[in-house]
Amino acid sequence: MFVVGTFYFFAIFLIFSSLSVIFSKNPVNSVLFLILAFLNSTFLFILIGAEFVGIILAIVYIGAVAILFLFVVMMLDIELIDIVFSVKRYIPLAVLFSIVIISEIVYLTVVKTVKGNLVLEPSSVNNTESIGDVLYTKFFIDFQLSGIVLLLAMIGAIVLTHIYKPSIKRQNISHQNSVTRLERVSLRNPKNGEGIDA
Amino acid sequence: MLSISYNHFFILSVILFIIGCFGLFLNRRNMILILMCIEIILLAANINFVSASIFLKNLDGQIFSIFILTIAAAEAAIGLAILVVYFRNKGGIDITKINELKD
């Protein structure tokens, strides 16, 4: 009973916050509601016993992605754009879309559904341990590939946003090392009472 | 006895997916909201994967959810980088102005 109530609470909250993401005018509000949606789905994951994915969702999405969004939104100084939506233009697309989705829902919830209710049984191996067991053995290649994807994303983001300005002075180490004494200092012998013309 | 079945989670993820797709059509001008809608769609996929993994007692769904998370993070980073560059060049993020290849 507690599980069912908690599920409905978080599910309704999740739907509400994701509706607010797409309907709020101010992008900052949208990002904050997105964070709320991620937080709710974290609670849902923890509720059904997938603690590792839930916590990773909180760390990665809330801690990195949503904060990145927030930085960009605050940096870009975006004017508020009114929602432009004409219902008539999208009616054929909407009908097609809803037919496909409703038939999929009916097929998957009635015909090919996964039977059985949620049983939360204490097990000897916890969730994180069992994920670690297969992640580094069965899915080793995929794990490495996802690392490469992240590296690629990092390099791509740096290359895209990097600005090259010729006016900025940079350290050129080989140039520094190839300088000789004669280029920098010279020996003068000033007379008494006179300076040195530059 | 009330209890939760897989269908609850399935319908929840379908609702989230539809909200994300609807947002893509609704906010056709603000590029950052389009990226956020893609995040919602990926979250719906994640919920579906994880709940199916729990109810089928098979861990592969949770592993794939972690991979989806990785791809989503990469996509958000690249998308926001493109957004920043676009804003720098155009002074706005109105995507209806991306039609210069037409001329």
Side-chain angles (χ1 to χ4, degrees), chain A residues 3-172:
Chain A
V3 174
V4 178
T6 322
F7 170 78
Y8 277 111
F9 178 74
F10 286 128
I12 289 167
F13 215 26
L14 176 56
I15 290 169
F16 162 74
S17 49
S18 48
L19 277 176
S20 305
V21 169
I22 67 171
F23 279 116
S24 50
K25 266 186 186 175
N26 194 343
V28 178
N29 288 349
S30 295
V31 177
L32 293 177
F33 276 116
L34 191 71
I35 293 175
L36 189 62
F38 288 142
L39 201 65
N40 281 316
S41 49
T42 298
F43 291 144
L44 277 180
F45 286 166
I46 293 173
L47 178 74
I48 59 172
E51 311 107 31
F52 183 73
V53 181
I55 297 295
I56 285 289
L57 197 82
I59 293 171
V60 172
Y61 265 129
I62 301 172
V65 174
I67 299 303
L68 201 67
F69 269 104
L70 204 59
F71 273 140
V72 171
V73 169
M74 291 160 96
M75 209 172 63
L76 289 189
D77 182 29
I78 297 158
E79 73 276 20
L80 305 183
I81 300 175
D82 280 332
I83 290 169
V84 276
F85 186 67
S86 58
V87 181
K88 274 183 193 166
R89 261 176 73 190
Y90 296 115
I91 279 182
L93 197 65
V95 168
L96 185 75
F97 209 70
S98 35
I99 286 173
V100 170
I101 293 221
I102 287 170
S103 54
E104 278 179 9
I105 292 174
V106 170
Y107 181 68
L108 286 172
T109 50
V110 178
V111 185
K112 265 188 87 77
T113 179
V114 176
K115 298 286 191 304
N117 288 327
L118 182 65
V119 277
L120 296 171
E121 55 202 6
S123 100
S124 58
V125 183
N126 64 27
N127 183 251
T128 311
E129 207 174 330
S130 43
I131 282 182
D133 261 352
V134 284
L135 185 60
Y136 299 112
T137 55
K138 191 178 164 192
F139 292 96
F140 181 71
I141 302 289
D142 313 65
F143 186 68
Q144 299 288 327
L145 280 177
S146 64
I148 292 175
V149 168
L150 282 180
L151 178 71
L152 210 65
M154 189 180 80
I155 294 172
I158 291 172
V159 167
L160 277 172
T161 54
H162 180 253
I163 310 172
Y164 180 71
K165 280 184 188 160
S167 61
I168 294 176
K169 297 203 186 312
R170 290 172 197 279
Q171 184 182 25
N172 189 345

Side-chain angles (χ1 to χ4, degrees), chain A residues 168-180:
Chain A
I168 294 176
K169 297 203 186 312
R170 290 172 197 279
Q171 184 182 25
N172 189 345
I173 293 174
S174 64
H175 187 242
Q176 271 184 342
N177 287 338
S178 65
V179 167
T180 56

Side-chain angles (χ1 to χ4, degrees), chain A residues 1 3-4 7-8 11 14-15 18-19 21-23 27 30-31 34 38 41 44-45 48 50 52-53 56-57 60-61 65 68-69 72-73 76 78 83-85 90 93 97 101 105 108-109 113-114 116-118 121 127 130-131 134-135 138-139 142-143 146 149-150 153 156-157 160-161 163, chain B residues 1-12 14-19 21-23 25-30 32-33 35-37 39-40 42-43 46-47 50-51 54-57 59-60 62-67 69-74 76-78 80-85 87-88 93:
Chain A
M1 194 61 213
V3 174
V4 178
F7 170 78
Y8 277 111
L14 176 56
I15 290 169
S18 48
L19 277 176
V21 169
I22 67 171
F23 279 116
S30 295
V31 177
L34 191 71
F38 288 142
S41 49
L44 277 180
F45 286 166
I48 59 172
F52 183 73
V53 181
I56 285 289
L57 197 82
V60 172
Y61 265 129
V65 174
L68 201 67
F69 269 104
V72 171
V73 169
L76 289 189
I78 297 158
I83 290 169
V84 276
F85 186 67
Y90 296 115
L93 197 65
F97 209 70
I101 293 221
I105 292 174
L108 286 172
T109 50
T113 179
V114 176
N117 288 327
L118 182 65
E121 55 202 6
N127 183 251
S130 43
I131 282 182
V134 284
L135 185 60
K138 191 178 164 192
F139 292 96
D142 313 65
F143 186 68
S146 64
V149 168
L150 282 180
L160 277 172
T161 54
I163 310 172
Chain B
M1 175 69 190
L2 280 168
S3 187
I4 298 177
S5 65
Y6 171 66
N7 283 348
H8 287 74
F9 279 93
F10 177 67
I11 288 175
L12 174 68
V14 167
I15 289 171
L16 272 187
F17 184 83
I18 290 173
I19 288 173
C21 291
F22 186 62
F25 291 112
L26 192 66
N27 302 300
R28 284 177 69 87
R29 300 185 61 191
N30 198 342
I32 202 158
L33 276 171
L35 283 175
M36 278 189 247
C37 289
E39 297 293 330
I40 291 177
L42 288 171
L43 182 71
N46 261 339
I47 288 175
V50 171
S51 55
I54 292 289
F55 284 99
L56 293 172
K57 295 186 173 44
L59 270 178
D60 292 4
Q62 292 180 44
I63 305 277
F64 268 85
S65 155
I66 294 171
F67 292 145
L69 223 74
T70 313
I71 302 299
I78 294 282
L80 288 172
I82 292 174
L83 188 76
V84 168
V85 174
F87 184 83
R88 201 185 284 151
I93 53 168

